[in-house]
Amino acid sequence: MAWIDHALWWHVYPLGFTDAPIRAEDSRTGRGLDHLTSWLDYVQELGLNGIALGPIFASKTHGYDTLDYLRIDPRLGDDAAFDRFLSACKERGIRVLLDGVFSHVSTDFEPLRRELENPSANASEREFDIDMEADGGPAPRVWEGHGELARFNHDSAAAKDRIEHVMRYWLERGIDGWRLDAAYSVPAHFWRAIIPSLRQDFPGAYFFAEIIHGDYCEFVKEAGVDSATEYELWKAIYSSIEQKNLFELEWTLGRHNAFLEHFVPYTFVGNHDTSRIASVLGADGALTAHAILYTLGGCPALYYGDEQAFRGIKEERIGGDDDVRQAFPDSPRDFFGEGLAMRDAIAGLIGVRRAEPWLVTARTEVLAIANERMTYRAHEYGGERFIDVDITLEGMPRATIRDAHGTVLWSQPQL
């Protein structure tokens, strides 16, 4: 098995984790990457061995409006702080992924400003997607209606060269791979033109694409990436529990098995763009969701704070993500409420996953199904090992995991 088959991720939004100011009016001062470094023992104690970082490059506000791809965001520190973090991860055997925001940049990105001053008449020579007929002169075309985000021209050699250089630079610095942000909004042939040369020089590197909808398998194949975010599974898990309709999950598990024929999906029940799972389902429902996550095929990621039953609702407004991108305290001693019990229960789930590494490519068979009850079997692909998972939504949501002998491996406590 390759290292990625054993990877269990902690997904962290660094600007939020370190309490960095996001906008000019914020009064927070932030703690920098050293604050995250101080939590690495906690990551290991959970049983995780990978950190998937959100944006860490110099940006204007929330990290997805990049100003400089080769400079650590000053709100997080400097190169030395990043090197300390990476070195501490390597000492512990923790893999590190960076978030590559390569579909767009800040409209204040200096190379964009220079190009706008004297854009080439030949569209294929322009690095950025520029509207030459805009009122007031050439203007950048924005990404998905966000006026502060300007699109690259992904058909240009200049965009390819810049982005390949950035990816290579940080791989040379020692990271283990890339999350390709909003990859669905970039032509698949763009990734296909970049990734093979990176694989040649960094054969162990991992590349996964953020895909929200569409043909996951076709995109993975055409783009040449290793994996994609399985939003279908995320939606089915929380919606089935919330609506007490496990038939939705049953249907999606069929799709999930089909995806596994082509690639190992990057799976999750929460991330920096979604409402906290405990706010949607309560702590007990959120724990059931995690039990499902860790007993299915895939490469699972735990969004930081979900293991402490963090709450937060995403809203469609400026600053509407802040509530789901919270700061972490000084130490685990500062957590309270359901947090400690939730952490211990999820650590137990991660322990089951680590003890059964074949689950990464497991296929799932539904053995019994009703609106509020389901039993499914996760069985080893090409082998004989299996576990059975009982889910009930009658009263308090709960899950039980049994091995092939009927022995209980994990039983959900009431939080």
Side-chain angles (χ1 to χ4, degrees):
M1 298 176 80
W3 71 263
I4 189 60
D5 293 333
H6 300 277
L8 298 172
W9 299 104
W10 203 43
H11 174 200
V12 176
Y13 177 74
L15 292 171
F17 187 100
T18 61
D19 206 26
I22 303 300
R23 288 164 293 278
E25 63 271 20
D26 287 352
S27 60
R28 293 172 288 183
T29 57
R31 306 180 188 182
L33 278 174
D34 288 331
H35 180 51
L36 177 56
T37 304
S38 73
W39 281 86
L40 294 180
D41 289 343
Y42 170 89
V43 177
Q44 281 195 301
E45 289 164 5
L46 279 171
L48 304 175
N49 60 357
I51 296 182
L53 290 174
I56 64 167
F57 307 136
S59 67
K60 190 172 181 180
T61 59
H62 45 58
Y64 291 93
D65 46 0
T66 309
L67 295 172
D68 187 341
Y69 287 106
L70 302 181
R71 184 164 65 101
I72 298 297
D73 196 304
R75 293 170 293 177
L76 296 174
D78 55 16
D79 271 3
F82 177 76
D83 288 342
R84 287 192 295 271
F85 167 76
L86 193 61
S87 176
C89 286
K90 289 183 179 298
E91 288 173 2
R92 294 166 171 79
I94 295 173
R95 301 282 182 164
V96 176
L97 300 182
L98 293 188
D99 202 348
V101 187
F102 301 134
S103 59
H104 54 269
V105 294
S106 167
T107 51
D108 288 337
F109 190 59
E110 185 57 33
L112 168 64
R113 306 314 304 174
R114 290 198 300 268
E115 186 165 91
L116 286 170
E117 292 174 1
N118 187 28
S120 171
N122 187 341
S124 66
E125 295 178 358
R126 297 196 290 265
E127 183 175 359
F128 303 94
D129 189 0
I130 295 175
D131 181 359
M132 299 293 286
E133 307 300 325
D135 291 341
R141 291 190 175 93
V142 301
W143 181 78
E144 296 189 352
H146 297 277
E148 298 297 315
L149 303 177
R151 287 187 54 82
F152 278 103
N153 172 15
H154 293 97
D155 291 324
S156 70
K160 172 189 173 296
D161 290 347
R162 181 183 300 279
I163 292 169
E164 182 174 353
H165 172 69
V166 170
M167 295 176 74
R168 183 178 298 276
Y169 174 84
W170 291 101
L171 286 166
E172 289 172 348
R173 291 281 296 269
I175 69 165
D176 297 287
W178 287 95
R179 172 189 181 269
L180 303 176
D181 179 67
Y184 60 84
S185 68
V186 176
H189 67 74
F190 180 81
W191 306 117
R192 174 64 70 177
I194 289 176
I195 290 176
S197 65
L198 295 176
R199 287 198 193 282
Q200 184 174 353
D201 295 332
F202 306 95
Y206 175 63
F207 305 90
F208 80 96
E210 183 191 20
I211 304 294
I212 297 176
H213 46 67
D215 190 332
Y216 292 12
C217 296
E218 184 66 17
F219 188 94
V220 168
K221 176 183 176 182
E222 292 300 316
V225 295
D226 296 295
S227 185
T229 52
E230 195 178 352
Y231 270 89
E232 284 189 19
L233 184 63
W234 159 76
K235 195 270 180 185
I237 291 174
Y238 88 74
S239 182
S240 293
I241 297 172
E242 183 181 35
Q243 302 297 323
K244 296 185 181 296
N245 177 17
L246 288 164
F247 286 100
E248 180 179 353
L249 179 59
E250 178 196 31
W251 186 88
T252 302
L253 290 177
R255 293 266 296 172
H256 184 64
N257 284 338
F259 294 152
L260 283 160
E261 295 294 325
H262 301 276
F263 69 99
V264 177
Y266 180 93
T267 56
F268 57 95
V269 294
N271 66 26
H272 65 295
D273 283 329
T274 66
S275 291
R276 289 281 184 179
I277 189 71
S279 285
V280 177
L281 302 177
D284 293 307
L287 185 52
T288 303
H290 282 94
I292 296 169
L293 175 70
Y294 283 105
T295 53
L296 299 179
C299 191
L302 173 64
Y303 185 48
Y304 83 102
D306 280 356
E307 78 282 357
Q308 295 280 349
F310 273 25
R311 303 307 207 271
I313 298 294
K314 175 183 171 66
E315 298 179 351
E316 297 301 326
R317 59 175 176 80
I318 295 176
D321 296 313
D322 293 357
D323 200 37
V324 301
R325 302 174 178 181
Q326 299 100 316
F328 248 44
D330 290 335
S331 78
R333 295 187 301 274
D334 298 314
F335 290 120
F336 57 89
E338 309 129 317
L340 299 181
M342 186 77 160
R343 180 203 61 191
D344 290 347
I346 288 184
L349 285 170
I350 293 169
V352 171
R353 182 72 176 213
R354 296 192 70 81
E356 311 290 347
W358 54 267
L359 279 167
V360 67
T361 56
R363 304 308 198 262
T364 308
E365 176 188 0
V366 175
L367 303 179
I369 181 73
N371 280 341
E372 299 183 41
R373 284 185 174 271
M374 171 190 281
T375 298
Y376 63 82
R377 174 166 293 171
H379 57 85
E380 181 181 17
Y381 182 62
E384 299 182 354
R385 291 176 289 188
F386 67 86
I387 59 172
D388 289 338
V389 182
D390 298 319
I391 305 294
T392 180
L393 306 180
E394 297 171 345
M396 181 195 80
R398 58 194 184 276
T400 303
I401 305 169
R402 294 182 172 84
D403 66 13
H405 305 289
T407 302
V408 174
L409 300 177
W410 184 88
S411 183
Q412 180 170 337
Q414 184 171 2
L415 298 176

